[in-house]
C-alpha cells in the first residue's frame, strides 16, 4: 500500500503565470538499458499527464543509477 505524507504544499515564488514544473528523480540500481529507462520516462510522463493534467513539455525526469555497493537495504 502506498502511503503519501500529508504536508502543506510550499511553492517557490514564481510569477502567477509560471507553469508548474514537475521534477521527478528516480533512483535505481545500475544496469537498466537505455530502452528500459526511456520506457520508465514515458510511463512517468504519461502518468503525470493523465493523473495530474501536467503538460509533457514541462516535465523533467532524472534517472540516477546507483552502484550496488552504494545501495542500502
Amino acid at each position: 500500500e502506498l502511503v503519501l505524507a500529508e504536508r502543506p504544499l510550499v511553492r517557490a515564488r514564481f510569477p502567477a503565470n509560471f507553469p508548474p514544473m514537475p521534477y521527478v528523480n528516480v533512483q535505481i540500481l545500475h544496469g537498466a538499458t537505455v530502452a528500459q529507462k526511456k520506457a520508465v520516462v514515458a510511463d512517468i510522463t504519461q502518468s503525470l499527464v493523465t493523473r495530474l493534467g501536467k503538460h509533457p513539455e514541462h516535465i523533467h525526469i532524472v534517472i540516477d543509477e546507483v552502484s550496488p555497493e552504494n545501495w542500502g537495504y
Side-chain angles (χ1 to χ4, degrees):
E1 176 180 315
L2 177 64
V3 178
L4 301 176
E6 293 185 26
R7 60 185 173 149
L9 176 64
V10 178
R11 276 193 67 123
R13 295 179 187 213
F14 292 108
N17 63 346
F18 190 82
M21 185 172 52
Y23 169 81
V24 178
N25 183 251
V26 179
Q27 293 183 330
I28 60 174
L29 285 176
H30 179 74
T33 67
V34 172
Q36 289 171 322
K37 290 184 273 188
K38 285 182 178 183
V40 167
V41 168
D43 290 346
I44 292 170
T45 299
Q46 186 57 50
S47 182
L48 290 170
V49 169
T50 302
R51 304 286 181 193
L52 301 179
K54 301 300 179 184
H55 297 281
E57 63 273 14
H58 297 153
I59 297 170
H60 299 271
I61 301 169
V62 175
I63 298 177
D64 289 322
E65 290 189 273
V66 181
S67 59
E69 63 269 11
N70 292 322
W71 193 275
Y73 295 94

